[in-house]
Amino acid sequence: MPYEPPTHTVERSLRATTGAKIVAGVDEVGRGAWAGPVTVCAAVTGLRRPPAGLTDSKLITPKRRETLAEELEGWVTAHALGHASPEEIDEVGMTAALRLAAVRALEGLPVRPDAVILDGKHDYLGDPWQVRTVIKGDRSCVAVAAASVIAKVRRDKLMAELGIDHADFGFAANAGYPSPVHRAALEERGPTPYHRLSWAYLDALPQWRHLKKARTWADASIPEIEGQLGFDF
């Protein structure tokens, strides 16, 4: 399906309306997975023409993603990644974990950005960051699309490494998301040290339900954005 390539329109708008000189695009991956960290990439691209074929990482084949990510890491002005571990997700919830990972990514940049373009409609960063949220920003904004591709490829590689000692779970193929292989291994073997233990999938596993961690971080004033996938076994 054809798609419009991303542009610098939002970045130009931020520069014009706020005086921002350095604008970072931020995107996450792993929010809906059952295992592994949530990973955020912050990318600064300037206003240069991006590599051909850049778009939302989900629209690109795995092989092309890897090639493009390698190209992007040499093309962007700067980029950094931040992770929030499964233990942190269990402890503080996904919204706060996303903020942890995003702040780690932004603070990992060599220069602090003046403004941030954040993919989605919910600002999970907040003060003191100057944020512009953009729905489907990973398709429309160059810096966010670059962050999307780099984050996806780097987290996929991390999950493949974590899965070496847990081959039955297929992390190299499913990146911690609930594929049939992953579900079957969970039912037979129970969660690995990399699983999120406060999540609802454990409710459908009576033999492992005792491992579930109670949520102590629920706060009705903070919209939760976990986006958990279905967990019927």
Side-chain angles (χ1 to χ4, degrees), residues 1 3 25 41 44 58 114 119 194 232:
M1 180 180 297
Y3 53 84
C41 180
V44 178
K58 296 185 292 296
D114 303 309
D119 182 50
Y194 309 117
D232 293 331

Side-chain angles (χ1 to χ4, degrees), residues 161-177:
E161 292 170 2
L162 295 180
I164 291 174
D165 294 330
H166 303 277
D168 290 350
F169 288 81
F171 287 162
N174 61 49
Y177 285 83

Side-chain angles (χ1 to χ4, degrees), residues 45-169:
T45 65
L47 300 177
R48 293 171 297 145
R49 182 187 298 274
L54 177 63
T55 187
D56 172 9
S57 64
K58 296 185 292 296
L59 301 179
I60 307 173
T61 64
K63 184 176 180 180
R64 174 56 183 152
R65 267 200 308 264
E66 290 190 13
T67 301
L68 184 57
E70 185 175 353
E71 186 176 358
L72 284 168
E73 290 190 24
W75 174 81
V76 297
T77 304
H79 76 282
L81 285 100
H83 308 276
S85 68
E87 293 82 7
E88 289 173 321
I89 294 169
D90 287 335
E91 181 179 353
V92 301
M94 182 53 76
T95 302
L98 276 170
R99 188 174 195 279
L100 280 174
V103 169
R104 287 165 180 165
L106 288 165
E107 291 183 343
L109 292 171
V111 180
R112 182 184 177 93
D114 303 309
V116 175
I117 305 172
L118 189 62
D119 182 50
K121 64 180 180 180
H122 174 54
D123 176 10
Y124 53 78
L125 264 172
D127 293 335
W129 304 94
Q130 182 167 254
V131 175
R132 174 79 60 86
T133 58
V134 179
I135 296 173
K136 294 186 178 179
D138 48 7
R139 299 189 190 188
S140 62
C141 302
V142 169
V144 179
S148 167
V149 173
I150 294 171
K152 172 64 175 167
V153 170
R154 293 284 287 273
R155 185 181 182 276
D156 281 357
K157 289 181 178 178
L158 173 62
M159 291 305 299
E161 292 170 2
L162 295 180
I164 291 174
D165 294 330
H166 303 277
D168 290 350
F169 288 81

